[in-house]
């Protein structure tokens, strides 16, 4: 999970984050000139001068692309995005109606607001993009899920372009692709080439993790990141919402947790309204919100507002005044967890919750005489991983009772905890050989897994480190085809020790874009030079 020895060379441990930080982050993101074609990597591995890609600026690259040299003009006064006749999603589908407005503004800014009357399209113009949802249930009123269909087909030709998708989630991805096909000439006129695209994601789980405990992230930063995620076809926001340093989640059931555990009880918390708004903002972009409440370790901030939750540490025969992980031997611990996760299951609509379970320090447990006595009574000997397993198993039972599935960090599996067959195991530890061995081991056991080890974006280096992110592949381990099918994707992680609102966006993007293409595009899309050409243009589009 969070590697405290990440070797980051920036020092910016600020607990108080100004809302103006996002403007600064945007400035940092915009500083580099958006040409990129003359840049060469200063690392030992170079990226050749941009010769242009036959795929223009498409990112991530669709599964099948056919582009023609025949082009059509797009005029803000005549072009429109509409529901196709026979589509199962109509004017009441707020996901699509919202997306139509959003992508029109991406393409034309506020052109339609100038008051000009709509005119008829000229012969060389593309007049419409017709969107057709082909299945009986469009999912208009639902939330994206682990098995949502994101496939689509896009045809650009006269007299109009047609976007077909079984569900609204595929239509959202197709709208993004359509917007990426549009380009400007030297006079600012919009054009699009005749095209045929058939597309679907290679992996179902394509996530971004944000840590809002080590540094509080203002809502506007989270929303900006969700926008960028949609532009890169990510579909999971893994919200590592609480941890040792702070507890910014404002719980209705236990308000004292944030009252005592947040950096500030009013300015540095996420209220129920905030959480609801973030979830809806994500839903409108086809993005799931999966919260993580990591226990039994990483819980120092929890103990400030919940008496007797954490284990008292001892120095010899007397308490030291410090506290360790969650106290696993008290019934009150499980009463608390039951109520908290019942609330979490109601607040967050996704079918999964991430339960953490990593980096549990046993030293405090070892020092506590009550824990020692409990270990003897349960014949655990001196194997404290058995005590951790005892706790985790009871927690999993609690979460299962809320009808939620769960994700856990790999240590829970490594320690032999009994898991449900549909458990998702998150791999984060080790070098390439170690994480590949772990993926092979997990899938051989029949569990589904997803990868983060090579994609810790809080770690920075000189030059274009995106190429190593781009080359990492969740399927690159020794295993059968059936094992590979159990790999559901991966996540890029941005841990917050040295990241706050001032530097999150420029550190995240466009480096996370490399992960986005690896998880969406076909396995054989590996040409770094072609990717560089498209990524340079895509970055400019994101800056704009």
């Amino acid at each position: 999970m969070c590697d405290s020895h990440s070797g980051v060379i920036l020092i910016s441990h600020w607990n108080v984050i100004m809302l103006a930080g996002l403007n600064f982050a945007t400035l940092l993101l915009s500083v580099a000139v958006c040409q990129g074609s003359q840049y060469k990597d200063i690392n030992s591995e170079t990226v050749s001068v941009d010769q242009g890609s036959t795929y223009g600026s498409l990112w991530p690259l669709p599964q099948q692309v056919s582009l023609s040299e025949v082009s059509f003009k797009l005029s803000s006064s005549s072009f429109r995005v509409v529901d196709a006749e026979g589509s199962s999603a109509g004017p009441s589908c707020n996901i699509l109606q919202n997306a139509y407005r959003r992508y029109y503004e991406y393409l034309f800014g506020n052109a339609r607001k100038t008051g000009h009357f709509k005119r008829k399209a000229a012969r060389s113009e593309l007049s419409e993009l017709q969107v057709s949802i082909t299945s009986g249930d469009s999912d208009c009123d639902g939330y994206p899920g682990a098995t949502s269909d994101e496939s689509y087909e896009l045809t650009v030709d006269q007299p109009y372009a047609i976007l077909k998708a079984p569900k609204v989630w595929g239509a959202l991805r197709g709208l993004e692709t359509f917007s990426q096909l549009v380009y400007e000439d030297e006079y600012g006129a919009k054009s699009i080439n005749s095209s045929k695209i058939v597309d679907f994601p290679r992996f179902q789980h394509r996530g971004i993790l944000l840590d809002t405990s080590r540094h509080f992230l203002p809502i506007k930063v989270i929303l900006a990141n969700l926008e960028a995620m949609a532009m890169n076809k990510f579909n999971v926001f893994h919200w590592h919402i609480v941890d040792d340093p702070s507890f910014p989640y404002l719980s209705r059931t236990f308000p004292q947790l944030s009252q005592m555990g947040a950096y500030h009880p009013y300015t540095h918390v996420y209220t129920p309204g905030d959480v609801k708004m973030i979830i809806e903002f994500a839903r409108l972009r086809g993005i799931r919100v999966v919260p993580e409440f990591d226990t039994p370790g990483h819980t120092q901030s929890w103990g400030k507002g919940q008496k007797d939750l954490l284990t008292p540490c001892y120095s010899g025969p007397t308490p030291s005044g410090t506290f360790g992980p969650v106290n696993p031997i008290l019934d009150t611990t499980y009463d608390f967890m039951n109520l908290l996760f019942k609330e979490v299951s109601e607040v967050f609509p996704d079918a999964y919750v991430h339960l953490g379970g990593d980096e549990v320090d046993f030293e405090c447990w070892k020092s506590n005489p009550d824990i020692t006595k409990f270990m003897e009574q349960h014949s655990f000997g001196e194997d404290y991983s058995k005590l951790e397993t005892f706790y985790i198993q009871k927690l999993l039972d609690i979460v299962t009772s809320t009808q939620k599935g769960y994700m856990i960090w790999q240590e829970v599996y490594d320690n032999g905890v009994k898991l449900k067959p549909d458990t998702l195991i998150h791999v984060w530890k080790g070098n390439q050989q170690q994480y590949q061995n772990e993926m092979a081991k997990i899938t051989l056991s029949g569990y589904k897994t997803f990868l983060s080890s090579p994609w810790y974006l809080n770690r920075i280096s000189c030059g274009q480190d995106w190429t190593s992110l781009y080359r990492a592949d969740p399927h690159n381990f020794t295993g059968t085809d059936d094992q590979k099918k159990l790999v559901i994707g991966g996540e890029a992680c941005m841990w917050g020790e040295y990241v706050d609102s001032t530097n999150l966006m420029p550190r995240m993007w466009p480096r996370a874009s490399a992960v986005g293409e690896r998880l969406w595009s076909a396995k054989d899309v590996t040409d770094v030079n072609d990717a560089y050409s498209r990524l340079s243009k895509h970055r400019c589009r994101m800056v704009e």
Side-chain angles (χ1 to χ4, degrees):
M1 209 246 345
C2 186
D3 183 357
S4 58
H5 304 288
S6 54
V8 180
I9 57 176
L10 295 179
I11 300 176
S12 62
H13 254 312
W14 305 340
N15 288 344
V16 179
I17 308 302
M18 302 298 290
L19 285 175
L22 179 63
N23 295 330
F24 183 49
T26 305
L27 174 63
L28 289 174
L29 182 63
S30 306
V31 165
V33 178
C34 267
Q35 297 299 323
S37 58
Q38 301 304 313
Y39 183 89
K40 288 197 175 185
D41 198 345
I42 61 175
N43 289 338
S44 57
E45 177 191 1
T46 61
V47 176
S48 64
V49 175
D50 179 14
Q51 299 299 319
S53 169
T54 56
Y55 300 113
S57 62
L58 289 172
W59 195 280
L61 190 66
Q63 300 290 336
Q64 300 175 30
V65 183
S66 176
L67 302 177
S68 163
E69 293 184 1
V70 177
S71 65
F72 313 114
K73 298 293 184 185
L74 277 78
S75 168
S76 62
S77 61
S78 61
F79 179 78
R80 60 185 189 148
V81 185
V82 298
D83 296 315
E85 186 177 348
S87 173
S88 63
S92 63
C93 181
N94 70 329
I95 287 182
L96 289 186
Q97 298 305 318
N98 185 291
Y100 297 166
R101 290 190 294 270
R102 188 166 69 249
Y103 279 99
Y104 182 91
E105 291 185 1
Y106 283 173
L107 294 175
F108 302 111
N110 294 321
R112 184 163 285 182
K113 297 179 181 178
T114 59
H116 293 302
F117 290 105
K118 177 174 169 57
R119 65 174 179 80
K120 187 175 180 180
R123 285 188 177 182
S124 62
E125 288 185 11
L126 189 71
S127 61
E128 286 183 349
L129 170 60
Q130 297 185 0
V131 180
S132 177
I133 306 302
T134 58
S135 68
D137 182 4
S138 65
D139 276 2
C140 274
D141 299 321
Y143 289 89
T147 59
S148 291
D149 190 339
E150 297 174 279
S151 65
Y152 67 92
E153 294 184 12
L154 175 63
T155 303
V156 179
D157 205 348
Q158 283 195 315
Y160 42 75
I162 300 175
L163 170 59
K164 292 183 179 180
K167 303 285 187 178
V168 292
W169 319 118
L172 292 174
R173 307 303 173 227
L175 285 165
E176 176 59 39
T177 297
F178 181 86
S179 74
Q180 295 182 7
L181 289 169
V182 177
Y183 57 93
E184 278 187 1
D185 64 19
E186 62 270 30
Y187 303 106
K190 307 283 186 178
S191 296
I192 188 169
N193 283 29
S194 176
S195 314
K196 173 68 175 178
I197 291 174
V198 177
D199 202 12
F200 52 87
R202 179 182 171 206
F203 292 105
Q204 280 294 115
H205 187 108
R206 307 178 309 282
I208 294 289
L209 179 150
L210 292 185
D211 169 9
T212 58
S213 173
R214 289 172 177 83
H215 282 96
F216 180 81
L217 295 178
I219 293 170
K220 63 196 303 186
V221 178
I222 295 174
L223 300 185
N225 194 69
L226 287 168
E227 286 278 25
M229 288 174 64
M231 294 183 73
N232 291 272
K233 296 186 171 69
F234 282 96
N235 67 344
V236 179
F237 170 33
H238 177 168
W239 193 353
H240 189 86
I241 192 167
V242 297
D243 206 296
D244 280 329
S246 74
F247 197 104
Y249 172 74
L250 200 166
S251 166
R252 283 194 174 102
T253 312
F254 300 103
Q256 71 276 13
L257 290 172
S258 60
Q259 188 72 25
M260 303 297 292
Y263 286 131
H264 190 284
Y266 305 118
T267 62
H268 286 53
V269 295
Y270 302 107
T271 68
D274 296 334
V275 173
K276 185 176 181 180
M277 186 262 286
I278 289 169
I279 291 171
E280 178 63 10
F281 192 91
R283 184 186 81 93
L284 292 174
R285 288 152 183 80
I287 297 171
R288 302 162 56 196
V289 178
V290 177
E292 180 183 353
F293 288 82
D294 189 0
T295 67
H298 292 278
T299 49
Q300 289 297 300
S301 65
W302 301 43
K304 296 176 181 178
Q306 186 64 22
K307 189 174 184 295
D308 297 329
L309 179 65
L310 303 185
T311 304
C313 306
Y314 277 67
S315 178
T318 58
S320 64
T322 61
F323 295 88
V326 165
N327 193 332
I329 69 172
L330 299 180
D331 290 340
T332 53
T333 293
Y334 302 104
D335 294 338
F336 166 82
M337 293 296 176
N338 186 53
L339 291 173
L340 177 65
F341 280 99
K342 184 177 185 295
E343 175 187 322
V344 168
S345 70
E346 294 169 351
V347 170
F348 293 90
D350 197 81
Y352 281 86
V353 60
H354 202 302
L355 299 178
D358 66 304
E359 295 183 320
V360 181
D361 186 353
F362 295 151
E363 292 306 311
C364 183
W365 281 352
K366 291 178 181 178
S367 74
N368 185 294
D370 295 328
I371 298 280
T372 302
K373 184 178 180 181
F374 184 88
M375 294 278 288
E376 293 173 355
Q377 291 172 346
H378 287 76
S379 302
F380 289 165
E382 295 184 357
D383 185 355
Y384 284 83
S385 66
K386 290 182 179 179
L387 181 60
E388 179 188 7
T389 298
F390 173 86
Y391 166 80
I392 291 288
Q393 190 61 64
K394 290 178 77 71
L395 179 65
L396 297 186
D397 291 341
I398 287 171
V399 174
T400 300
S401 72
T402 69
Q403 308 303 313
K404 292 285 189 184
Y406 46 77
M407 307 175 185
I408 43 91
W409 296 107
Q410 68 181 76
E411 287 98 319
V412 179
Y413 165 82
D414 292 339
N415 290 339
V417 176
K418 182 181 178 182
L419 302 171
K420 288 195 307 179
D422 63 345
T423 300
L424 304 181
I425 300 172
H426 196 167
V427 174
W428 72 277
K429 297 176 73 174
N431 58 32
Q432 182 175 339
Q433 182 178 353
Q434 289 169 327
Y435 73 69
Q436 288 175 350
N437 289 342
E438 183 77 5
M439 299 284 282
K441 181 181 173 185
I442 291 169
T443 53
L444 190 61
S445 300
Y447 290 108
K448 291 182 178 180
T449 184
F450 57 107
L451 180 66
S452 282
S453 300
W455 295 322
Y456 268 36
L457 301 187
N458 48 292
R459 299 172 181 167
I460 57 176
S461 59
C462 294
Q464 299 189 54
D465 66 347
W466 71 270
T467 56
S468 63
L469 306 173
Y470 189 74
R471 287 194 170 95
D473 192 302
H475 275 171
N476 284 353
F477 64 89
T478 303
T480 65
D481 289 344
D482 285 340
Q483 284 179 259
K484 302 292 177 71
K485 290 175 183 177
L486 292 171
V487 178
I488 62 170
E491 290 183 359
C493 301
M494 184 63 76
W495 297 104
E497 285 91 344
Y498 306 102
V499 177
D500 58 23
S501 64
T502 66
N503 63 347
L504 183 141
M505 290 298 284
R507 187 176 294 194
M508 177 74 81
W509 308 101
R511 295 162 74 230
S513 301
V515 183
E517 178 151 294
R518 179 57 51 236
L519 295 175
W520 179 280
S521 302
K523 182 177 177 63
D524 60 1
V525 177
T526 56
D527 186 332
V528 171
N529 290 321
D530 182 81
Y532 176 73
S533 172
R534 291 181 290 109
L535 184 58
S536 298
K537 299 177 181 69
H538 180 57
R539 178 191 171 276
C540 292
R541 180 165 51 229
M542 287 195 290
V543 170
E544 184 180 354

